[in-house]
Amino acid sequence: MRANPLALLPLLLFLALFIGSGVYYQSVNVDYAFYQISAPVAILPAVVLALLLDKGKLNQRLETFIQGVGDSNIITMCLIYLLAGAFASVAKAVGGVDATVNFGLSIIPSELVLPGLFVITAFIATAMGTSMGTIAAMAPIALGLTEVSDLSLPLCVGAVVGGAMFGDNLSIISDTTIAATRSQGCDMRDKFRMNFKIALPAALITLFWLYLQGADARITHSSDYELIKVLPYLAVLVMALSGLNVFLVLFSGTLLAGAIGLTGLEGYSIAQYSKDIYAGYTGMQEIMILSMLIGGLGALMKAQGGLEFLARQIERLTSKGDNPEASPRAGEAAISTAVAMTNICTANNTVAIIICGGLAKDIAGRQNVDPRRSACLLDIFSCVVQGLLPYGAQVLLAGSIAGLSPLVVIGNIHYSWLLGVIALGTIVFGSTKYKARTEALTGQL
């Protein structure tokens, strides 16, 4: 396919509108400045420009766009978004989040409260599949802990954000995992296993550091909890890790959470259950619309040669000079660089993965990178960058709840820094071993 740099203009226009509006609102001190102009709205002029740049009849251009919107991967992602939103909404409504938090606090010794805060947050985020929801639930707990102990507030908040990004990166129902695995055509369970081998060392080092920082803490706070309300999160986590179909996992979790609410909560009715499910749907509206529009825009840019141009430029920057042979290490570096740079521009890890998904798959195929490895790197580096952006939603939310500057918060998110360093290390020292696996996998397809 012919490389065409002009085909990337619509994407640049989208980023300019999205980022430009954020810079403006930030300059006038508006909270959540980079989220005042919704991304699904900012992308509309880019779609129009892409249609104008394309050649052929208007109906043919629209057909290309609609085929991208209706791509099976995009539609699958949207359906999973709906089910994930429904589960998270119902489970929270029936008290599952509070019960899980209080359960963890009741069994953790005082000297392990700080690392325990990271573990609880990571567990909830892994089960819920959302870093924002987890931070919203756990940041007040972190703030409360510092009020009854001598623990550092920035350190507690950093532990919460780090744990939330751990779960966002690994959760099988996280939108980042969904986007990464669907775009690369690999199984969620396989991606989880590969991802876990990188995330675990970073988490263990983080836990050790947090233990050293909070070993002398004294906690007097305790809360009641109902163990049965923890069950939906445990069930979803176990079913997901056992390899069950993600649709079945999410649907079963929603049913279980609803059953607990209907049988154990006074005044919780079928009508309220229905409203909670719908609230979960509406919470996923923005990312669903954006996913479809990005799919259409990506199809137009790919048809015009834009992704081919970008792939060549990134590979040229990360390849070994004039070596014509495929290089998994260069491919992995290119994929990681692309998603990290895109995330810096969009301040949204899921959007970054959606934008880079097609490009990453092209690079992976050309450079013999295992699709599981490609999905893993997309998810890791998007979450690393997202967890360290001072204007990212996660850091802004945590800083707002705790009354801290975002710059102070990111300086204490040790997990994200460590995850990035370890992931880079696996690219530099360990990527070539995936070549044989990829060749064997390609031969089976």
mmCIF file with all atom_site columns, all heavy atoms in Angstrom, residues 106-123:
data_model
loop_
_atom_site.group_PDB
_atom_site.id
_atom_site.type_symbol
_atom_site.label_atom_id
_atom_site.label_alt_id
_atom_site.label_comp_id
_atom_site.label_asym_id
_atom_site.label_entity_id
_atom_site.label_seq_id
_atom_site.pdbx_PDB_ins_code
_atom_site.Cartn_x
_atom_site.Cartn_y
_atom_site.Cartn_z
_atom_site.occupancy
_atom_site.B_iso_or_equiv
_atom_site.pdbx_formal_charge
_atom_site.auth_seq_id
_atom_site.auth_comp_id
_atom_site.auth_asym_id
_atom_site.auth_atom_id
_atom_site.pdbx_PDB_model_num
ATOM 1   N N   . SER A 1 106 ? -10.138 -4.889  57.645 1.00 0.00 ? 106 SER A N   1
ATOM 2   C CA  . SER A 1 106 ? -10.353 -5.611  58.899 1.00 0.00 ? 106 SER A CA  1
ATOM 3   C C   . SER A 1 106 ? -9.372  -6.754  59.113 1.00 0.00 ? 106 SER A C   1
ATOM 4   O O   . SER A 1 106 ? -9.205  -7.216  60.245 1.00 0.00 ? 106 SER A O   1
ATOM 5   C CB  . SER A 1 106 ? -11.787 -6.154  58.930 1.00 0.00 ? 106 SER A CB  1
ATOM 6   O OG  . SER A 1 106 ? -11.944 -7.196  57.975 1.00 0.00 ? 106 SER A OG  1
ATOM 7   N N   . ILE A 1 107 ? -8.752  -7.219  58.055 1.00 0.00 ? 107 ILE A N   1
ATOM 8   C CA  . ILE A 1 107 ? -7.862  -8.379  58.185 1.00 0.00 ? 107 ILE A CA  1
ATOM 9   C C   . ILE A 1 107 ? -6.386  -8.028  57.998 1.00 0.00 ? 107 ILE A C   1
ATOM 10  O O   . ILE A 1 107 ? -5.530  -8.911  58.091 1.00 0.00 ? 107 ILE A O   1
ATOM 11  C CB  . ILE A 1 107 ? -8.246  -9.486  57.176 1.00 0.00 ? 107 ILE A CB  1
ATOM 12  C CG1 . ILE A 1 107 ? -8.080  -8.985  55.741 1.00 0.00 ? 107 ILE A CG1 1
ATOM 13  C CG2 . ILE A 1 107 ? -9.672  -9.958  57.403 1.00 0.00 ? 107 ILE A CG2 1
ATOM 14  C CD1 . ILE A 1 107 ? -8.329  -10.050 54.679 1.00 0.00 ? 107 ILE A CD1 1
ATOM 15  N N   . ILE A 1 108 ? -6.081  -6.765  57.756 1.00 0.00 ? 108 ILE A N   1
ATOM 16  C CA  . ILE A 1 108 ? -4.696  -6.369  57.507 1.00 0.00 ? 108 ILE A CA  1
ATOM 17  C C   . ILE A 1 108 ? -4.072  -5.812  58.782 1.00 0.00 ? 108 ILE A C   1
ATOM 18  O O   . ILE A 1 108 ? -4.614  -4.889  59.387 1.00 0.00 ? 108 ILE A O   1
ATOM 19  C CB  . ILE A 1 108 ? -4.626  -5.302  56.396 1.00 0.00 ? 108 ILE A CB  1
ATOM 20  C CG1 . ILE A 1 108 ? -5.155  -5.878  55.081 1.00 0.00 ? 108 ILE A CG1 1
ATOM 21  C CG2 . ILE A 1 108 ? -3.197  -4.804  56.205 1.00 0.00 ? 108 ILE A CG2 1
ATOM 22  C CD1 . ILE A 1 108 ? -5.223  -4.867  53.964 1.00 0.00 ? 108 ILE A CD1 1
ATOM 23  N N   . PRO A 1 109 ? -2.924  -6.343  59.214 1.00 0.00 ? 109 PRO A N   1
ATOM 24  C CA  . PRO A 1 109 ? -2.231  -5.805  60.389 1.00 0.00 ? 109 PRO A CA  1
ATOM 25  C C   . PRO A 1 109 ? -1.826  -4.349  60.160 1.00 0.00 ? 109 PRO A C   1
ATOM 26  O O   . PRO A 1 109 ? -1.606  -3.925  59.022 1.00 0.00 ? 109 PRO A O   1
ATOM 27  C CB  . PRO A 1 109 ? -0.989  -6.705  60.509 1.00 0.00 ? 109 PRO A CB  1
ATOM 28  C CG  . PRO A 1 109 ? -1.349  -7.954  59.764 1.00 0.00 ? 109 PRO A CG  1
ATOM 29  C CD  . PRO A 1 109 ? -2.250  -7.529  58.658 1.00 0.00 ? 109 PRO A CD  1
ATOM 30  N N   . SER A 1 110 ? -1.719  -3.585  61.221 1.00 0.00 ? 110 SER A N   1
ATOM 31  C CA  . SER A 1 110 ? -1.455  -2.156  61.102 1.00 0.00 ? 110 SER A CA  1
ATOM 32  C C   . SER A 1 110 ? -0.147  -1.857  60.379 1.00 0.00 ? 110 SER A C   1
ATOM 33  O O   . SER A 1 110 ? -0.058  -0.888  59.617 1.00 0.00 ? 110 SER A O   1
ATOM 34  C CB  . SER A 1 110 ? -1.432  -1.508  62.491 1.00 0.00 ? 110 SER A CB  1
ATOM 35  O OG  . SER A 1 110 ? -0.430  -2.109  63.302 1.00 0.00 ? 110 SER A OG  1
ATOM 36  N N   . GLU A 1 111 ? 0.874   -2.702  60.595 1.00 0.00 ? 111 GLU A N   1
ATOM 37  C CA  . GLU A 1 111 ? 2.156   -2.440  59.945 1.00 0.00 ? 111 GLU A CA  1
ATOM 38  C C   . GLU A 1 111 ? 2.117   -2.720  58.439 1.00 0.00 ? 111 GLU A C   1
ATOM 39  O O   . GLU A 1 111 ? 3.028   -2.356  57.698 1.00 0.00 ? 111 GLU A O   1
ATOM 40  C CB  . GLU A 1 111 ? 3.274   -3.258  60.598 1.00 0.00 ? 111 GLU A CB  1
ATOM 41  C CG  . GLU A 1 111 ? 3.126   -4.759  60.449 1.00 0.00 ? 111 GLU A CG  1
ATOM 42  C CD  . GLU A 1 111 ? 2.338   -5.361  61.593 1.00 0.00 ? 111 GLU A CD  1
ATOM 43  O OE1 . GLU A 1 111 ? 1.642   -4.605  62.297 1.00 0.00 ? 111 GLU A OE1 1
ATOM 44  O OE2 . GLU A 1 111 ? 2.447   -6.592  61.783 1.00 0.00 ? 111 GLU A OE2 1
ATOM 45  N N   . LEU A 1 112 ? 1.049   -3.382  57.998 1.00 0.00 ? 112 LEU A N   1
ATOM 46  C CA  . LEU A 1 112 ? 0.917   -3.694  56.573 1.00 0.00 ? 112 LEU A CA  1
ATOM 47  C C   . LEU A 1 112 ? -0.200  -2.899  55.907 1.00 0.00 ? 112 LEU A C   1
ATOM 48  O O   . LEU A 1 112 ? -0.601  -3.223  54.787 1.00 0.00 ? 112 LEU A O   1
ATOM 49  C CB  . LEU A 1 112 ? 0.639   -5.193  56.388 1.00 0.00 ? 112 LEU A CB  1
ATOM 50  C CG  . LEU A 1 112 ? 1.730   -6.165  56.848 1.00 0.00 ? 112 LEU A CG  1
ATOM 51  C CD1 . LEU A 1 112 ? 1.274   -7.601  56.642 1.00 0.00 ? 112 LEU A CD1 1
ATOM 52  C CD2 . LEU A 1 112 ? 3.031   -5.903  56.103 1.00 0.00 ? 112 LEU A CD2 1
ATOM 53  N N   . VAL A 1 113 ? -0.662  -1.859  56.568 1.00 0.00 ? 113 VAL A N   1
ATOM 54  C CA  . VAL A 1 113 ? -1.788  -1.097  56.023 1.00 0.00 ? 113 VAL A CA  1
ATOM 55  C C   . VAL A 1 113 ? -1.429  -0.429  54.701 1.00 0.00 ? 113 VAL A C   1
ATOM 56  O O   . VAL A 1 113 ? -2.218  -0.444  53.749 1.00 0.00 ? 113 VAL A O   1
ATOM 57  C CB  . VAL A 1 113 ? -2.273  -0.053  57.044 1.00 0.00 ? 113 VAL A CB  1
ATOM 58  C CG1 . VAL A 1 113 ? -3.115  1.015   56.360 1.00 0.00 ? 113 VAL A CG1 1
ATOM 59  C CG2 . VAL A 1 113 ? -3.099  -0.722  58.123 1.00 0.00 ? 113 VAL A CG2 1
ATOM 60  N N   . LEU A 1 114 ? -0.234  0.157   54.613 1.00 0.00 ? 114 LEU A N   1
ATOM 61  C CA  . LEU A 1 114 ? 0.141   0.865   53.388 1.00 0.00 ? 114 LEU A CA  1
ATOM 62  C C   . LEU A 1 114 ? 0.272   -0.086  52.195 1.00 0.00 ? 114 LEU A C   1
ATOM 63  O O   . LEU A 1 114 ? -0.344  0.151   51.155 1.00 0.00 ? 114 LEU A O   1
ATOM 64  C CB  . LEU A 1 114 ? 1.425   1.664   53.615 1.00 0.00 ? 114 LEU A CB  1
ATOM 65  C CG  . LEU A 1 114 ? 1.764   2.743   52.586 1.00 0.00 ? 114 LEU A CG  1
ATOM 66  C CD1 . LEU A 1 114 ? 0.580   3.665   52.350 1.00 0.00 ? 114 LEU A CD1 1
ATOM 67  C CD2 . LEU A 1 114 ? 2.980   3.544   53.036 1.00 0.00 ? 114 LEU A CD2 1
ATOM 68  N N   . PRO A 1 115 ? 1.038   -1.176  52.310 1.00 0.00 ? 115 PRO A N   1
ATOM 69  C CA  . PRO A 1 115 ? 1.026   -2.132  51.195 1.00 0.00 ? 115 PRO A CA  1
ATOM 70  C C   . PRO A 1 115 ? -0.344  -2.772  51.021 1.00 0.00 ? 115 PRO A C   1
ATOM 71  O O   . PRO A 1 115 ? -0.747  -3.109  49.898 1.00 0.00 ? 115 PRO A O   1
ATOM 72  C CB  . PRO A 1 115 ? 2.090   -3.163  51.572 1.00 0.00 ? 115 PRO A CB  1
ATOM 73  C CG  . PRO A 1 115 ? 2.322   -2.995  53.023 1.00 0.00 ? 115 PRO A CG  1
ATOM 74  C CD  . PRO A 1 115 ? 2.026   -1.561  53.329 1.00 0.00 ? 115 PRO A CD  1
ATOM 75  N N   . GLY A 1 116 ? -1.085  -2.936  52.124 1.00 0.00 ? 116 GLY A N   1
ATOM 76  C CA  . GLY A 1 116 ? -2.428  -3.494  52.025 1.00 0.00 ? 116 GLY A CA  1
ATOM 77  C C   . GLY A 1 116 ? -3.354  -2.586  51.241 1.00 0.00 ? 116 GLY A C   1
ATOM 78  O O   . GLY A 1 116 ? -4.240  -3.057  50.517 1.00 0.00 ? 116 GLY A O   1
ATOM 79  N N   . LEU A 1 117 ? -3.163  -1.281  51.371 1.00 0.00 ? 117 LEU A N   1
ATOM 80  C CA  . LEU A 1 117 ? -3.955  -0.321  50.608 1.00 0.00 ? 117 LEU A CA  1
ATOM 81  C C   . LEU A 1 117 ? -3.736  -0.526  49.112 1.00 0.00 ? 117 LEU A C   1
ATOM 82  O O   . LEU A 1 117 ? -4.676  -0.486  48.315 1.00 0.00 ? 117 LEU A O   1
ATOM 83  C CB  . LEU A 1 117 ? -3.571  1.098   51.024 1.00 0.00 ? 117 LEU A CB  1
ATOM 84  C CG  . LEU A 1 117 ? -4.393  2.253   50.442 1.00 0.00 ? 117 LEU A CG  1
ATOM 85  C CD1 . LEU A 1 117 ? -5.846  2.156   50.896 1.00 0.00 ? 117 LEU A CD1 1
ATOM 86  C CD2 . LEU A 1 117 ? -3.781  3.584   50.866 1.00 0.00 ? 117 LEU A CD2 1
ATOM 87  N N   . PHE A 1 118 ? -2.502  -0.777  48.746 1.00 0.00 ? 118 PHE A N   1
ATOM 88  C CA  . PHE A 1 118 ? -2.188  -1.053  47.336 1.00 0.00 ? 118 PHE A CA  1
ATOM 89  C C   . PHE A 1 118 ? -2.850  -2.347  46.882 1.00 0.00 ? 118 PHE A C   1
ATOM 90  O O   . PHE A 1 118 ? -3.440  -2.410  45.797 1.00 0.00 ? 118 PHE A O   1
ATOM 91  C CB  . PHE A 1 118 ? -0.670  -1.146  47.156 1.00 0.00 ? 118 PHE A CB  1
ATOM 92  C CG  . PHE A 1 118 ? -0.235  -1.486  45.756 1.00 0.00 ? 118 PHE A CG  1
ATOM 93  C CD1 . PHE A 1 118 ? 0.000   -0.481  44.823 1.00 0.00 ? 118 PHE A CD1 1
ATOM 94  C CD2 . PHE A 1 118 ? -0.042  -2.812  45.371 1.00 0.00 ? 118 PHE A CD2 1
ATOM 95  C CE1 . PHE A 1 118 ? 0.396   -0.793  43.528 1.00 0.00 ? 118 PHE A CE1 1
ATOM 96  C CE2 . PHE A 1 118 ? 0.357   -3.121  44.078 1.00 0.00 ? 118 PHE A CE2 1
ATOM 97  C CZ  . PHE A 1 118 ? 0.580   -2.111  43.155 1.00 0.00 ? 118 PHE A CZ  1
ATOM 98  N N   . VAL A 1 119 ? -2.765  -3.388  47.713 1.00 0.00 ? 119 VAL A N   1
ATOM 99  C CA  . VAL A 1 119 ? -3.327  -4.696  47.353 1.00 0.00 ? 119 VAL A CA  1
ATOM 100 C C   . VAL A 1 119 ? -4.847  -4.615  47.207 1.00 0.00 ? 119 VAL A C   1
ATOM 101 O O   . VAL A 1 119 ? -5.423  -5.144  46.242 1.00 0.00 ? 119 VAL A O   1
ATOM 102 C CB  . VAL A 1 119 ? -2.938  -5.764  48.398 1.00 0.00 ? 119 VAL A CB  1
ATOM 103 C CG1 . VAL A 1 119 ? -3.694  -7.064  48.140 1.00 0.00 ? 119 VAL A CG1 1
ATOM 104 C CG2 . VAL A 1 119 ? -1.438  -6.012  48.368 1.00 0.00 ? 119 VAL A CG2 1
ATOM 105 N N   . ILE A 1 120 ? -5.513  -3.972  48.167 1.00 0.00 ? 120 ILE A N   1
ATOM 106 C CA  . ILE A 1 120 ? -6.975  -3.850  48.101 1.00 0.00 ? 120 ILE A CA  1
ATOM 107 C C   . ILE A 1 120 ? -7.394  -3.094  46.850 1.00 0.00 ? 120 ILE A C   1
ATOM 108 O O   . ILE A 1 120 ? -8.306  -3.502  46.126 1.00 0.00 ? 120 ILE A O   1
ATOM 109 C CB  . ILE A 1 120 ? -7.515  -3.130  49.358 1.00 0.00 ? 120 ILE A CB  1
ATOM 110 C CG1 . ILE A 1 120 ? -7.254  -3.966  50.604 1.00 0.00 ? 120 ILE A CG1 1
ATOM 111 C CG2 . ILE A 1 120 ? -9.011  -2.868  49.214 1.00 0.00 ? 120 ILE A CG2 1
ATOM 112 C CD1 . ILE A 1 120 ? -7.554  -3.230  51.889 1.00 0.00 ? 120 ILE A CD1 1
ATOM 113 N N   . THR A 1 121 ? -6.705  -1.983  46.586 1.00 0.00 ? 121 THR A N   1
ATOM 114 C CA  . THR A 1 121 ? -7.029  -1.195  45.403 1.00 0.00 ? 121 THR A CA  1
ATOM 115 C C   . THR A 1 121 ? -6.806  -1.996  44.132 1.00 0.00 ? 121 THR A C   1
ATOM 116 O O   . THR A 1 121 ? -7.628  -1.960  43.210 1.00 0.00 ? 121 THR A O   1
ATOM 117 C CB  . THR A 1 121 ? -6.175  0.090   45.363 1.00 0.00 ? 121 THR A CB  1
ATOM 118 O OG1 . THR A 1 121 ? -6.310  0.795   46.601 1.00 0.00 ? 121 THR A OG1 1
ATOM 119 C CG2 . THR A 1 121 ? -6.605  0.995   44.228 1.00 0.00 ? 121 THR A CG2 1
ATOM 120 N N   . ALA A 1 122 ? -5.694  -2.723  44.089 1.00 0.00 ? 122 ALA A N   1
ATOM 121 C CA  . ALA A 1 122 ? -5.396  -3.534  42.907 1.00 0.00 ? 122 ALA A CA  1
ATOM 122 C C   . ALA A 1 122 ? -6.452  -4.620  42.721 1.00 0.00 ? 122 ALA A C   1
ATOM 123 O O   . ALA A 1 122 ? -6.873  -4.907  41.586 1.00 0.00 ? 122 ALA A O   1
ATOM 124 C CB  . ALA A 1 122 ? -4.011  -4.166  43.055 1.00 0.00 ? 122 ALA A CB  1
ATOM 125 N N   . PHE A 1 123 ? -6.887  -5.234  43.816 1.00 0.00 ? 123 PHE A N   1
ATOM 126 C CA  . PHE A 1 123 ? -7.905  -6.282  43.720 1.00 0.00 ? 123 PHE A CA  1
ATOM 127 C C   . PHE A 1 123 ? -9.218  -5.727  43.191 1.00 0.00 ? 123 PHE A C   1
ATOM 128 O O   . PHE A 1 123 ? -9.852  -6.301  42.299 1.00 0.00 ? 123 PHE A O   1
ATOM 129 C CB  . PHE A 1 123 ? -8.119  -6.918  45.090 1.00 0.00 ? 123 PHE A CB  1
ATOM 130 C CG  . PHE A 1 123 ? -9.261  -7.900  45.128 1.00 0.00 ? 123 PHE A CG  1
ATOM 131 C CD1 . PHE A 1 123 ? -9.114  -9.179  44.617 1.00 0.00 ? 123 PHE A CD1 1
ATOM 132 C CD2 . PHE A 1 123 ? -10.494 -7.540  45.657 1.00 0.00 ? 123 PHE A CD2 1
ATOM 133 C CE1 . PHE A 1 123 ? -10.171 -10.078 44.642 1.00 0.00 ? 123 PHE A CE1 1
ATOM 134 C CE2 . PHE A 1 123 ? -11.545 -8.424  45.685 1.00 0.00 ? 123 PHE A CE2 1
ATOM 135 C CZ  . PHE A 1 123 ? -11.383 -9.706  45.173 1.00 0.00 ? 123 PHE A CZ  1
#
